[in-house]
Amino acid sequence: MADSLRRLVNTSSLSVMQDKLECWYKDYHVISCDQNLNRCCELVELTSKIQGQLFTILNLTAREGGHYAGVDVLKSRLLPWLGTCFSMATSSVTNDTSLNLIQESVEKERKIRELSASHENDMQKMETQLCSTRLQLESIKQELADTHLQLDDTKNMSATTLLATEDEILQLKAELRAACDQVETYKRKLNILDDYERQGRLLRDEVSFLTAEKSMLQERLVRSRSPSPLPRRRHHSSPLRSESPTRAQLTNSSRHARLVSRFSDLYAVERLEAQSLLRQYIDDTEMVQIIIFIATVEAFQAAKLAYRQFKLRVRKTLSPSHLGPEILEDSVVDYIVRNLDLYDVQASINDVINAMNVNPRISFPPEVDFVLISGFIRETCRVAFAMQTLDPPLDLAFTSDRELYSDNKYRRSYDSEFTAPLVVYHVWPALVEGDCVIVKGEAVTRRGALWRSRSRSYSPVRSHSGSPTRTLAFSHSRSPSPGRLSASRL
């Protein structure tokens, strides 16, 4: 049954019959009577075919329902319809029936006109709404176009503002660079001012020395003019010359106080600057403090060695013009005090750097060079060299790892264990004059210092690429010869 119904749906017989009816209605007044009858017969035949298919489907459906299924439907609908069709075919239509049919047709036409009128009204309303909707759509499109224009203007303004901001940033960066350059200029001027102040202090010391020497010469002149009971002693020049103090002896106390203060400044200022510079490359604070301590000790050693060599050269140069070892020694020291600028500090810096390069206690990245703290080493060498001209000279106290802590020589750092008896490492050496401590040093004490020292892994000998060779070559090129010294200053 389902296949028969599907075939009936697929053939679209009713649609074909409707098309033929419409075509016949259009050509009814044009074609002849025979043609009209032929088309009517075609429609009757098509209707009979459709009815035959429907009856086939009805038969199949009744079979599928069984013997008694659908009996009531057939009795109540099919059989009365068949009887009515046959009876209508045999009976004739009366006048009353025709009048009723006409009235019904008129009523239907009236309803059709009303429906068409209401349909037209609805169509007009829909057209009006459509026009209003189109107007709203046009206004929305215009607003959208305006919004796009505003967005473009905003983008242009933002781009302009961004360019202006970038120009301001570049201008601020330029001003910052100019300010940094100005700060550097001021720093250089401040350094020059410090040099001027140092030279002024030296000149004041020299003036005081010359004043004292002048007073002594005046006293000697007065004694020489006054009658002396022992005129035979005038030819003894050596005792008189030995009793006159030199510039080094007259300024010994002032230089002593100034150098002790300068040593304290090295600890408070230059040491912290060098420590901050090394911390940019080394994260271990203990290693940074050990490096600075070793640099200080090596600077004193190099300065003392340079002082002895310089003193030997000066003694060799001055010895032909002096008689007596005491006079010569005083003259040598006085010459060194007057000419401290002849000290080849760069050679000492190179010696310190070479000694630190082979020190097994130091370990930090090989790409970092000790030239970073050359400024600190230079100032330390100058102070140490000047301390050797004092009488007695100032020197650093002897230090060793894991030594017993002494309150007379050191003070503990803030991160020390104050109950620990041994020194783990030194932060700053103590300054001594003979056996007397002038300035205390700084040390770190912790428990287990002996175990820490045994378990610590020392690095092998450091070899910076090119650094020892460069510094040695530079030191050889900088070191003056004794002949040049005598010719330039004497």
Side-chain angles (χ1 to χ4, degrees), residues 15 192 368 381 432 487:
S15 300
I192 294 172
V368 181
C381 288
V432 296

Side-chain angles (χ1 to χ4, degrees), residues 110-123:
R110 185 180 61 80
K111 290 181 178 179
I112 289 171
R113 286 195 297 271
E114 291 178 355
L115 290 174
S116 62
S118 63
H119 179 67
E120 289 179 357
N121 292 329
D122 293 337
M123 289 296 293

Side-chain angles (χ1 to χ4, degrees), residues 17-80:
M17 186 175 65
Q18 181 67 27
D19 294 337
K20 288 185 177 183
L21 282 174
E22 291 177 357
C23 183
W24 185 26
Y25 175 73
K26 291 179 182 179
D27 300 336
Y28 182 77
H29 297 286
V30 179
I31 61 178
S32 63
C33 180
D34 294 334
Q35 291 177 350
N36 288 329
L37 291 176
N38 287 328
R39 291 191 177 184
C40 183
C41 291
E42 288 179 0
L43 292 173
V44 170
E45 291 176 356
L46 183 59
T47 304
S48 64
K49 289 180 180 180
I50 293 172
Q51 288 180 352
Q53 292 178 2
L54 290 174
F55 276 108
T56 302
I57 293 171
L58 179 64
N59 187 16
L60 294 174
T61 303
R63 287 182 182 178
E64 290 177 357
H67 293 286
Y68 301 101
V71 176
D72 295 334
V73 177
L74 293 176
K75 288 181 180 182
S76 60
R77 298 194 64 178
L78 181 61
L79 294 179

Side-chain angles (χ1 to χ4, degrees), residues 235-302:
H235 67 279
H236 297 287
S237 60
S238 297
L240 293 176
R241 292 179 59 186
S242 62
E243 290 178 358
S244 61
T246 61
R247 181 177 187 272
Q249 295 172 353
L250 289 173
T251 61
N252 187 74
S253 60
S254 61
R255 289 187 294 112
H256 182 280
R258 187 176 69 251
L259 290 174
V260 170
S261 176
R262 187 71 186 95
F263 184 79
S264 300
D265 292 339
L266 285 176
Y267 170 76
V269 181
E270 280 84 352
R271 180 185 68 89
L272 296 180
E273 292 178 354
Q275 183 172 335
S276 300
L277 186 61
L278 289 175
R279 284 298 302 273
Q280 298 178 6
Y281 304 95
I282 306 172
D283 296 331
D284 190 2
T285 304
E286 178 180 344
M287 181 53 61
V288 170
Q289 293 177 346
I290 291 175
I291 289 172
I292 294 175
F293 174 78
I294 293 174
T296 305
V297 175
E298 293 293 341
F300 266 80
Q301 296 294 333

Side-chain angles (χ1 to χ4, degrees), residues 127-140:
E127 288 180 356
T128 304
Q129 292 179 358
L130 182 60
C131 291
S132 62
T133 304
R134 286 177 180 175
L135 292 176
Q136 291 179 359
L137 182 61
E138 292 294 332
S139 63
I140 291 171

Side-chain angles (χ1 to χ4, degrees), residues 384-424:
F385 187 86
M387 285 181 176
Q388 305 309 308
T389 62
L390 299 176
D391 186 22
L394 299 179
D395 199 357
L396 300 181
F398 175 76
T399 59
S400 64
D401 289 342
R402 303 174 305 280
E403 67 173 322
L404 190 63
Y405 176 78
S406 174
D407 288 330
N408 296 327
K409 291 172 57 177
Y410 306 108
R411 59 175 177 273
R412 286 185 171 92
S413 61
Y414 69 94
D415 55 346
S416 298
E417 296 181 4
F418 289 88
T419 59
L422 297 180
V423 175
V424 179

